[in-house]
Amino acid sequence: MSVLLVVQLVLVGLLAGEEFIVRWGVQPAMATLPDEVHLRTRIALVKSLKVVVPILMVPAVLASVAVLVLSGADDGLGWRIAAMVALVVFVLASFLGTVPINIRVNDWDPEHPPADWKRVVLRWERIDVLRSTAAGVAFVLFVVALVQLLG
């Protein structure tokens, strides 16, 4: 169980870290770019992150479910349940919110973007605040659960 706890915490931490950097580091920097450069950067990020994020997300969720099931009613159960709720919020916001937008963005022409592209980006950013916050909260709650379990 110790190895699983470490692997799970590392995966959720990497996921939360990636989300934090994209939300609060990359996105604000992109907002300062000229429109065409912004769009080219956004499209390039969508193409790379649609590979990276699932590589982290799927094992992080599976390991988190395994930890929740295998730890049973051990100390920290409430924290683990709360962390799983946050992780589910992250997954739902991704698949119901940002992923459909990313699919559209992937096909945009930076020289001739859709007329509503700024509105679409703003909607993505609002959903991404929820996603990135949920991933961070999940990580913190899993850390608290582990500390309680070990304490």
Side-chain angles (χ1 to χ4, degrees):
M1 180 70 167
S2 299
V3 171
L4 177 60
L5 285 168
V6 169
V7 168
Q8 181 263 346
L9 200 56
V10 167
L11 289 169
V12 175
L14 287 170
L15 183 65
E18 171 273 324
E19 291 297 322
F20 180 85
I21 292 302
V22 169
R23 172 72 251 137
W24 304 110
V26 174
Q27 294 299 327
M30 285 175 44
T32 67
L33 299 173
D35 288 352
E36 187 178 335
V37 176
H38 174 123
L39 287 166
R40 287 187 187 285
T41 304
R42 181 168 295 280
I43 292 164
L45 280 169
V46 165
K47 289 180 187 221
S48 65
L49 292 177
K50 73 180 180 184
V51 174
V52 172
V53 174
I55 287 171
L56 288 173
M57 182 192 305
V58 171
V61 170
L62 293 175
S64 296
V65 168
V67 165
L68 184 62
V69 169
L70 295 174
S71 63
D74 290 348
D75 289 338
L77 176 62
W79 295 108
R80 283 188 297 281
I81 291 171
M84 279 304 302
V85 169
L87 202 53
V88 167
V89 167
F90 168 77
V91 170
L92 289 175
S94 297
F95 286 105
L96 300 176
T98 57
V99 168
I101 293 171
N102 288 344
I103 290 168
R104 287 178 54 195
V105 168
N106 193 54
D107 296 329
W108 284 355
D109 176 356
E111 294 177 15
H112 304 95
D116 67 341
W117 77 269
K118 288 184 180 181
R119 184 185 58 76
V120 172
V121 168
L122 181 60
R123 184 173 191 290
W124 184 95
E125 288 174 345
R126 288 181 178 150
I127 297 166
D128 194 54
V129 169
L130 172 65
R131 287 177 70 252
S132 61
T133 301
V137 167
F139 176 64
V140 169
L141 293 173
F142 277 125
V143 170
V144 170
L146 182 59
V147 168
Q148 191 170 22
L149 181 66
L150 298 175

